[in-house]
């Protein structure tokens, strides 16, 4: 791989240990992928923030990197949700030890110069660059959204490779950074409506189930046919999150053009029902969880409208970033949602937080396929998967 003089020097450690580590990571990826060179990125999004997932090893690693000479983020860098609400963790039965470690992790990222976004929907809170801009985003749901909806170019970065990109301002020129690799490899055809008594294929649950099915069987770029070219934001978000939960695909194209005949996989009522049953193993749940990925302003608006003049009959937690919360508050959405009895958890990941365990529930009801997948595995709870409007209807009264 061709390296500039500065990159060579950094690899030798002449510009400090953090840059040396970062260039070693990029060089290793470059060699495996047969890349020619590194390219600049305009935005890095780092994951590996929740203490629940990175533990003491990750904490020590970040402590070392952030305190090493010359270590700083050289490009605009946002950060994924952490493992608790940093402002009211003590109200949520989070242990002091856990909170202390989480706050340390957050401070190490801040020392490096991160924008304290704590969100997995970074495109909602910051100005998105023009299409075809190279970025380096960890968090699979955001990376797939970046490629497929925003037209940005990123690979599905790991926590370590995104950190390396943040420290260097560069990524490896390979895979989805190259135009010719951004074409569908297989088609998933949604033949759903005719077989589903005419019911329209719509809403975040339907798109999430489609994504979970397609992500598991297509490792490359997925071509979808039989759906609207412009799904709503929440539908796209659910589709991206579910694709990223299983398999390695980093992008999809809706109704792709092109003459090349590609293998086509049918997604019918049968595949829909099988995928749904894999994810949903309960009729109902003790706790309602909304916000995996974290809720956007539009979703909070819709939720507030559906909860107007209503009270929830069971506990409900809503995950979003502080930034989105503040805007939603200014519009009055959060007052309506909280007034109905829901509790906001800001800046945290819905799945990788000790909150669910500390609430002591055995089952949850959610609209998120990604949430269903992880909550079962991380918190060992049963999950009822339902459309958001159905959840509100079944669990609220005037
Ligand atoms: Fe976001 Fe955590 Fe879900 S990072 S996509 S809320 S698993």
């Amino acid at each position: 791989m061709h390296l500039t003089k500065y990159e060579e020097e950094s690899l030798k450690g002449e510009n400090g240990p953090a840059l040396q580590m970062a260039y070693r990571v990029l060089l290793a990826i470059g060699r495996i992928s047969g890349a020619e060179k590194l390219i600049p990125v305009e935005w890095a999004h780092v994951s590996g923030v929740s203490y629940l997932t990175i533990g003491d090893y990750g904490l020590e690693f970040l402590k070392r990197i952030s305190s090493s000479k010359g270590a700083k983020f050289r490009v605009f860098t946002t950060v994924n949700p952490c493992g608790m609400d940093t402002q009211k963790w003590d109200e949520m039965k989070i242990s002091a030890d856990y909170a202390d470690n989480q706050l340390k992790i957050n401070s190490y990222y801040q020392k490096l110069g991160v924008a304290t976004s704590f969100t997995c929907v970074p495109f909602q809170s910051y100005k998105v660059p023009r299409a075809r801009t190279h970025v380096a985003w960890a968090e699979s749901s955001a990376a797939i959204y970046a490629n497929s909806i925003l037209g940005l170019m990123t690979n599905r970065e790991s926590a370590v490779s995104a950190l390396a990109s943040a420290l260097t301002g560069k990524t490896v020129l390979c895979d989805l950074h190259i135009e010719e690799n951004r074409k569908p490899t297989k088609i998933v055809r949604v033949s759903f409506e005719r077989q589903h008594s005419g019911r329209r294929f719509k809403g975040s649950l339907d798109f999430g189930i489609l994504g979970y099915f397609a992500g598991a069987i297509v490792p490359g770029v997925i071509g979808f046919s039989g759906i609207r070219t412009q799904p709503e934001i929440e539908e796209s978000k659910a589709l991206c999150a579910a694709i990223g939960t299983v398999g390695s695909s980093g992008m999809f194209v809706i109704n792709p053009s092109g003459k090349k005949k590609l293998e086509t996989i049918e997604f019918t009522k049968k595949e829909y029902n099988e995928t749904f049953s894999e994810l949903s193993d309960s009729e109902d749940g003790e706790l309602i969880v909304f916000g995996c990925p974290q809720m956007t302003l539009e979703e909070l608006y819709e939720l507030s409208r559906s909860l107007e003049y209503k009270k929830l009959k069971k506990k409900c937690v809503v995950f979003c970033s502080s930034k989105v919360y503040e805007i939603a508050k200014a519009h009055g959405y959060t007052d309506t949602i909280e007034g109905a009895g829901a509790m906001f958890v800001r800046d945290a990941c819905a799945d990788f937080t000790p909150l669910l365990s500390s609430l002591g529930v055995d089952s949850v009801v959610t609209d998120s396929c990604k949430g269903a997948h992880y909550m079962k595995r991380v918190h060992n709870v049963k999950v009822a998967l339902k459309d958001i409007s159905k959840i509100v209807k079944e669990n609220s009264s005037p």
Side-chain angles (χ1 to χ4, degrees), residues 109-285:
Y109 277 114
Q110 280 170 267
K111 199 170 165 191
L112 287 164
V114 84
T116 48
S117 56
F118 297 114
T119 183
C120 45
V121 282
F123 45 86
Q124 165 98 153
S125 302
Y126 300 90
K127 187 167 181 285
V128 174
R130 69 204 173 285
R132 295 296 174 266
T133 299
H134 293 278
V135 300
W137 284 11
E139 176 45 51
S140 58
S141 63
I144 297 169
Y145 196 96
N147 282 318
S148 316
I149 306 295
L150 305 175
L152 303 175
M153 299 175 94
T154 181
N155 287 321
R156 267 176 66 171
E157 301 293 347
S158 68
V160 174
S161 66
L163 182 67
S165 289
L167 288 164
T168 59
K170 294 172 191 172
T171 192
V172 180
L173 179 60
C174 64
D175 301 331
L176 295 173
H177 287 286
I178 299 171
E179 201 62 56
E180 66 197 48
N181 297 335
R182 296 170 65 88
K183 297 190 178 111
T185 53
K186 288 183 187 178
I187 301 288
V188 175
R189 181 164 55 203
V190 181
S191 323
F192 179 90
E193 295 184 13
R194 272 167 292 148
Q195 303 182 23
H196 228 76
S197 330
R199 176 168 93 70
R200 277 188 69 202
F201 186 82
K202 69 191 266 278
S204 57
L205 179 60
D206 283 356
F207 277 81
I209 288 173
L210 173 64
Y212 199 82
F213 170 79
I217 51 171
V218 184
V221 177
I222 306 166
F224 286 114
S225 67
I227 54 176
R228 275 168 289 137
T229 308
Q230 284 293 338
E232 301 291 331
I233 292 180
E234 72 274 12
E235 292 171 335
S236 301
K237 222 171 120 244
L239 179 61
C240 295
I243 290 172
T245 305
V246 279
S248 58
S249 175
M251 183 176 169
F252 63 81
V253 179
I254 297 180
N255 299 328
S257 52
K259 298 194 178 76
K260 201 171 152 202
K261 189 107 181 87
L262 295 172
E263 182 191 338
T264 298
I265 300 151
E266 299 291 338
F267 178 77
T268 67
K269 185 179 170 184
K270 176 174 168 286
E271 285 76 26
Y272 183 98
N273 289 342
E274 284 170 1
T275 309
F276 178 85
S277 306
E278 200 183 324
L279 287 164
S280 186
D281 57 1
S282 178
E283 286 292 305
D284 204 355

Side-chain angles (χ1 to χ4, degrees), residues 332-350:
Y333 310 156
T334 56
D335 285 349
T336 308
I337 296 167
E338 286 170 327
M343 175 175 78
F344 275 91
V345 184
R346 285 166 289 177
D347 296 339
C349 167

